[in-house]
Structure formats: structure tokens, C-alpha cells
Amino acid sequence: MAGKKDVLTRERLDAVLAGLPDWRYRLGGLVTMYKTPTAAAALELIAAVGRLAEAQNHHPDLEWRYNRVFIRYTSHDAGGEVTERDAAAAAAASEAAGQAGATAQPEAQWNT
């Protein structure tokens, strides 16, 4: 579990983002959108992220639209801020997305 003491400083957040090209800091969290070749591939990516979330005990906000999957990581137990757990989860999700043949489009807007 994370706590307020685990919240990333802006300097650390910038360093984390430099190593996560698929992700941006928006909406108070690490956010991206992956475009998959098909709707079925999007669902496979969601299932892969779900398995990661269970293994990490760290669950993102997800939104699915046909062949697009929006993902947002924050640490609710750290007041909705970004922690190292979010960075690790985002990196793992990026790897899963690559295996699913997904293309990152982090500039896409989350419409919720």
C-alpha cells in the first residue's frame, strides 16, 4: 500500500515519464490510450491489464471504446496521487499492450 509519503515529486514524476513514452501526466494520474487492431484485441488487452492489476493489487481506471483502451493509474491510498506503484503498473501495461499489438496514442483525450 502506498501513502502520502510515497507520492512522486514533480522532479521524480518527470524522470518516470521520460522512461514511459506511452504515458502522460493528466487528470492527476498517468494516462494513455492504446489503439488495437480489433475490438477483440482491445478486450484481450483489458484482460491482460486486469491480470496485472490482480497480481500487483493495484487497479487502474479503464475505459473501452471498440478498439481503443484508455488507462489511468493513480494511487487511491495516496490520495489519488501518482506513486512508484503507478509507474511500475504503467510499465507493465505498456509491455502487455506491445504483446497485444497495440499502438500507444497518449495524446488522446480521456472523455470521462
Side-chain angles (χ1 to χ4, degrees), residues 17-102:
L17 287 169
L20 294 171
D22 292 357
W23 298 82
R24 300 292 182 268
Y25 178 75
R26 282 199 317 267
L27 303 170
L30 298 180
V31 179
T32 196
M33 187 274 287
Y34 287 106
K35 183 177 180 182
T36 61
T38 65
L43 289 169
E44 289 173 15
L45 175 56
I46 291 168
V49 170
R51 287 188 295 275
L52 290 169
E54 288 298 302
Q56 298 166 336
N57 193 29
H58 192 55
H59 303 79
D61 297 322
L62 290 169
E63 187 172 315
W64 169 48
R65 295 193 188 133
Y66 179 62
N67 67 337
R68 290 171 173 78
V69 179
F70 294 82
I71 306 172
R72 177 176 173 261
Y73 281 104
T74 63
S75 291
H76 303 285
D77 50 359
E81 300 286 340
V82 177
T83 67
E84 292 291 343
R85 287 178 58 200
D86 300 302
S94 290
E95 186 175 325
Q99 292 172 359

